[in-house]
Amino acid sequence: MQAAHKGKQMTALPAQPQRSSLVSGLAWLLIIVGGFSIVIALLQILAFSFIPPEKFASMVDAPKIPFLIKLIFTNLHLIFFSFGLLSCATLICGVGLLLRKYWGWFATILLLVFGIVWNFGMLFLQNALFAAFTEMAPELAETTIFAMFKDGLLIGFSIFALIFSALLLWLIKRLTAPEIREEFQPKAM
């Protein structure tokens, strides 16, 4: 405990919990990534706003275009807007974590869980997109190079998803450790 001198009288000050460098580092990383991705989202929305909607409509009206690709192209504005919202949430989580707010801690854990779910969801989407491409060009799907490319990407992205998800799980485990949770407890007045 620290002591404060007040004349000849000594009073004990309550001990402050030590601030974890992991939390501070993660907070700054979220702030930086959130800030940059907000800029990217704004540029995507701006670029998309210059493309006339009828251009996208004509691109997906072809008879051989699979449903999944039509769905993606007709909803690009929602995808870009969702990316912008996720970027803002990342920045806000970083600020809350840096200020050691309970809501920042909780929201960051939710964001990390979302990242894990997103990784594995994207693996399924990637498989579905490859299936859609083979519908569009069945002669391409029969080539050896396409099969090698597809398999290589699926293996590579699967390994990436497993490693990145393990990292996110480790961060969740560390953030929920008692010594780190203590930093996010409300302060007594």
Side-chain angles (χ1 to χ4, degrees), residues 168-188:
L168 295 178
L169 277 172
W170 178 80
L171 283 170
I172 291 169
K173 181 181 177 199
R174 291 294 301 135
L175 284 174
T176 55
E179 64 273 9
I180 290 182
R181 279 192 75 168
E182 185 178 299
E183 295 180 43
F184 298 94
Q185 299 304 318
K187 310 288 186 266

Side-chain angles (χ1 to χ4, degrees), residues 101-148:
K101 300 290 185 187
Y102 178 80
W103 60 263
W105 172 81
F106 187 74
T108 300
I109 290 174
L110 289 178
L111 191 68
L112 296 174
V113 169
F114 177 75
I116 293 168
V117 172
W118 183 263
N119 275 329
F120 291 106
M122 287 298 103
L123 287 177
F124 290 111
L125 181 64
Q126 182 184 8
N127 279 329
L129 283 173
F130 274 123
F133 285 129
T134 56
E135 277 180 40
M136 285 173 46
E139 64 282 351
L140 176 67
E142 296 170 5
T143 63
T144 308
I145 195 144
F146 179 78
M148 287 173 34

Side-chain angles (χ1 to χ4, degrees), residues 154-168:
L154 290 176
I155 291 169
F157 284 137
S158 298
I159 291 169
F160 174 81
L162 286 172
I163 292 171
F164 198 67
S165 295
L167 172 66
L168 295 178

Side-chain angles (χ1 to χ4, degrees), residues 21-37 87 90-91 93-95 97-98 111-112 164 167-168 171:
S21 58
L22 173 81
V23 173
S24 297
L26 180 60
W28 279 112
L29 181 67
L30 291 175
I31 290 169
I32 292 167
V33 168
F36 280 131
S37 60
S87 301
T90 302
L91 179 67
C93 285
V95 170
L97 205 60
L98 190 63
L111 191 68
L112 296 174
F164 198 67
L167 172 66
L168 295 178
L171 283 170

Side-chain angles (χ1 to χ4, degrees), residues 1-15:
M1 287 204 167
Q2 300 172 351
H5 293 286
K6 199 174 193 181
K8 292 187 177 193
Q9 203 176 28
M10 290 182 74
T11 55
L13 297 175

Side-chain angles (χ1 to χ4, degrees), residues 31-128:
I31 290 169
I32 292 167
V33 168
F36 280 131
S37 60
I38 287 172
V39 172
I40 291 169
L42 290 173
L43 290 173
Q44 286 177 331
I45 292 168
L46 182 68
F48 183 74
S49 66
F50 287 113
I51 300 172
E54 50 277 353
K55 275 278 195 207
F56 282 105
S58 67
M59 287 171 41
V60 296
D61 280 344
K64 281 187 138 186
I65 303 291
F67 172 75
L68 182 61
I69 294 176
K70 285 182 183 181
L71 183 68
I72 290 171
F73 271 96
T74 55
N75 292 302
L76 273 177
H77 60 288
L78 290 175
I79 293 170
F80 294 152
F81 183 71
S82 298
F83 178 68
L85 286 179
L86 184 63
S87 301
C88 290
T90 302
L91 179 67
I92 291 167
C93 285
V95 170
L97 205 60
L98 190 63
L99 296 175
R100 302 305 198 266
K101 300 290 185 187
Y102 178 80
W103 60 263
W105 172 81
F106 187 74
T108 300
I109 290 174
L110 289 178
L111 191 68
L112 296 174
V113 169
F114 177 75
I116 293 168
V117 172
W118 183 263
N119 275 329
F120 291 106
M122 287 298 103
L123 287 177
F124 290 111
L125 181 64
Q126 182 184 8
N127 279 329

